[in-house]
Amino acid sequence: MAITKQHEYYEKRLEALLKDMPFFVEKYVDDKLDIRSPLTLFNYVRDYKEFFQWLMAEGIVKCESTKLFPVELLETLSLDDANNYFKYIARKKYKISKKDDETKQIDAKTVNRHKSSLRSLFKYLTVESEISEGKPYFERNVMAKIPIKKVSETFNERASKITEKIFIDDADIEFLDYIQNEYEASLSPTQMKYFKRDKERDFAILSLFLGTGIRVNELSNLRLKDIDFTSKEIRVIRKGGKKDTVSITPSSLQDLNNYLTVRNERYKASDSENEYIFVKFYKGESKHLTNRAIEDIVYKYTRSFDKRMSPHKLRHTYATNLAEQTGGDIPLIMNQLGHTQSDISLLYINTTREKQRKAAELLDQRRNRKTE
């Protein structure tokens, strides 16, 4: 299995987080590390920390720190207390933007993730572990009584949500044109300095998302050896460390090449084939551009053009356009996006229904003109 930069990054973050965790969580992670990704385990352990802190803050558990949290108290945790914790999670709100006070409530899927992570820990402690004479830490599993309410949505509803959050029609082309020709007019002299330095790099990132449909982690892990200019393809590392080959549009390949012509000089980067493609200049040397940095780049430019969008929304935009241009070729869409299930690819065909509706209205105008 290929080890990605993201894998290493979350391994380190997980290791740091575990320093504040009780011994039984450390044992859980050690036993699960070959089954679950460091990212998943990091999110799980972060949930456990919040859970322990809530129990301590509410006075349900008397303990000086999460590190000293006693495992035996989880056996006697009441169902009411467990339910109250998930009510607390469900009612939490978070700020949408740092610039204003607008907030949003945690969605049901996030609540379900908290439930799943704790159910996994409690199952481990009550069923999967052995500490003495073949017995687990304890036997009563209160989390087994906590239902996970499936978030039910129709296919059309899921597709509609995608359509509302992506570029439709030719908006993706207009977006790239805006970055090339209009964006700098809104910048201060200081902002202009950095924009001119990073313009080719940032534009290549945006163009690559819209010209390949790859994920942010797949883009950040691209190395120089992964580009094949002849076949117009790039090699990526999919989820689970699987290697794959993805087609790239000629225009996006040209945008990438434009960046590569200035990459070494502008960022003091090496042209060794194993070097990461997307880098930054930091403290006098070239550094790998992280997932977070790439996400911030996408947020910045999309917010300036229309609405704040994530790299995943650019991936959705590409997938929707691909579905339309290929007449809904499901195997092709699955291969290009790295999907393992066809129903995910079908969502992008559904997003074209808005265009179908508009087309029907245009066709009907012919009839209206005839009757006038």
Side-chain angles (χ1 to χ4, degrees):
M1 181 186 292
I3 302 298
T4 66
K5 198 74 176 178
Q6 184 194 46
H7 186 103
E8 294 175 347
Y9 172 74
Y10 279 105
E11 272 190 338
K12 290 178 181 178
R13 292 193 68 184
L14 177 61
E15 185 179 347
L17 187 58
L18 283 173
K19 291 178 180 179
D20 295 326
M21 288 292 99
F23 71 94
F24 59 90
V25 173
E26 291 184 87
K27 185 67 168 63
Y28 166 85
V29 169
D30 186 56
D31 287 349
K32 297 291 184 180
L33 203 51
D34 294 329
I35 303 171
R36 299 188 182 276
S37 71
L39 171 58
T40 298
L41 288 171
F42 172 76
N43 286 327
Y44 274 22
V45 174
R46 199 164 54 172
D47 291 346
Y48 303 155
K49 183 176 182 179
E50 185 171 3
F51 177 58
F52 297 153
Q53 288 176 334
W54 180 84
L55 290 173
M56 291 158 58
E58 293 294 314
I60 298 168
V61 172
K62 305 294 183 183
C63 184
E64 294 181 3
S65 68
T66 53
K67 184 70 176 177
L68 301 175
F69 196 95
V71 65
E72 59 271 14
L73 293 185
L74 295 178
E75 181 178 15
T76 57
L77 183 68
S78 74
L79 182 58
D80 279 345
D81 287 337
N83 277 321
N84 286 336
Y85 172 70
F86 293 116
K87 289 176 185 176
Y88 156 76
I89 291 295
R91 293 166 186 171
K92 281 179 66 177
K93 294 182 179 179
Y94 62 94
K95 281 192 174 183
I96 296 176
S97 172
K98 294 179 181 178
K99 295 182 179 180
D100 53 49
D101 294 327
E102 187 178 359
T103 60
K104 186 176 181 181
Q105 195 161 336
I106 297 292
D107 63 33
K109 289 182 180 179
T110 303
V111 177
N112 280 345
R113 197 211 64 214
H114 278 265
K115 290 181 178 180
S116 294
S117 63
L118 283 166
R119 281 163 66 104
S120 178
L121 177 63
F122 272 70
K123 182 181 178 183
Y124 172 79
L125 295 174
T126 59
V127 177
E128 299 171 351
S129 61
E130 286 189 4
I131 55 170
S132 64
E133 299 179 354
K135 292 185 178 181
Y137 287 88
F138 53 88
E139 295 183 354
R140 177 180 174 270
N141 182 358
V142 69
M143 290 299 165
K145 301 176 182 179
I146 302 291
I148 293 181
K149 297 178 182 178
K150 187 175 180 181
V151 181
S152 122
E153 291 178 319
T154 66
F155 217 66
N156 280 341
E157 178 64 17
R158 291 174 66 191
S160 174
K161 286 183 177 179
I162 291 176
T163 305
E164 292 170 0
K165 297 175 182 177
I166 67 173
F167 291 130
I168 60 172
D169 297 326
D170 292 331
D172 56 327
I173 300 172
E174 294 168 4
F175 167 64
L176 293 176
D177 183 70
Y178 167 79
I179 302 303
Q180 284 281 43
N181 303 305
E182 301 176 40
Y183 174 75
E184 60 186 64
S186 65
L187 303 178
S188 68
T190 302
Q191 291 172 325
M192 178 69 76
K193 173 187 173 183
Y194 291 110
F195 172 67
K196 286 187 173 181
R197 183 194 67 186
D198 298 329
K199 182 176 181 180
E200 286 82 5
R201 183 200 67 186
D202 294 356
F203 192 80
I205 288 171
L206 299 169
S207 181
L208 205 57
F209 279 127
L210 292 168
T212 62
I214 59 177
R215 300 176 177 91
V216 63
N217 188 51
E218 293 164 358
L219 185 141
S220 70
N221 280 293
L222 283 174
R223 300 174 190 262
L224 292 172
K225 66 181 179 181
D226 294 326
I227 315 169
D228 190 331
F229 285 97
T230 304
S231 63
K232 297 181 178 63
E233 293 176 331
I234 54 175
R235 288 176 290 276
V236 298
I237 301 175
R238 299 289 198 190
K239 288 182 177 180
K242 298 175 184 177
K243 295 180 179 179
D244 200 1
T245 302
V246 175
S247 294
I248 177 173
T249 60
S251 58
S252 293
L253 191 63
Q254 182 59 54
D255 296 331
L256 181 57
N257 190 53
N258 292 342
Y259 159 61
L260 292 177
T261 60
V262 302
R263 173 183 173 274
N264 293 4
E265 179 182 355
R266 211 167 281 178
Y267 301 98
K268 310 300 180 188
S270 165
D271 59 1
S272 169
E273 65 172 15
N274 287 312
E275 291 292 322
Y276 289 103
I277 291 177
F278 293 106
V279 294
K280 63 181 179 181
F281 189 63
Y282 182 70
K283 293 186 177 179
E285 60 181 336
S286 173
K287 295 286 187 181
H288 172 239
L289 210 57
T290 64
N291 288 0
R292 179 63 179 270
I294 292 170
E295 287 171 347
D296 287 343
I297 287 169
V298 174
Y299 293 150
K300 177 178 68 174
Y301 289 111
T302 54
R303 185 190 299 114
S304 176
F305 175 69
D306 179 23
K307 56 192 172 188
R308 183 180 183 272
M309 293 169 63
S310 66
H312 205 65
K313 296 301 182 291
L314 300 189
R315 171 175 160 86
H316 285 327
T317 297
Y318 169 85
T320 302
N321 289 332
L322 182 64
E324 183 179 358
Q325 294 300 318
T326 62
D329 188 330
I330 295 299
L332 187 151
I333 297 169
M334 289 180 66
N335 287 336
Q336 182 70 15
L337 298 182
H339 289 161
T340 55
Q341 296 178 321
S342 61
D343 60 340
I344 300 174
S345 299
L346 280 168
L347 281 172
Y348 301 114
I349 295 175
N350 254 33
T351 58
T352 63
R353 288 188 174 180
E354 175 65 15
K355 295 181 179 180
Q356 292 170 355
R357 182 186 64 77
K358 291 180 179 178
E361 291 175 356
L362 290 172
L363 286 171
D364 206 41
Q365 287 178 14
R366 294 167 58 248
R367 178 176 175 179
N368 294 335
R369 285 197 299 268
K370 186 71 175 175
T371 57
E372 287 176 355

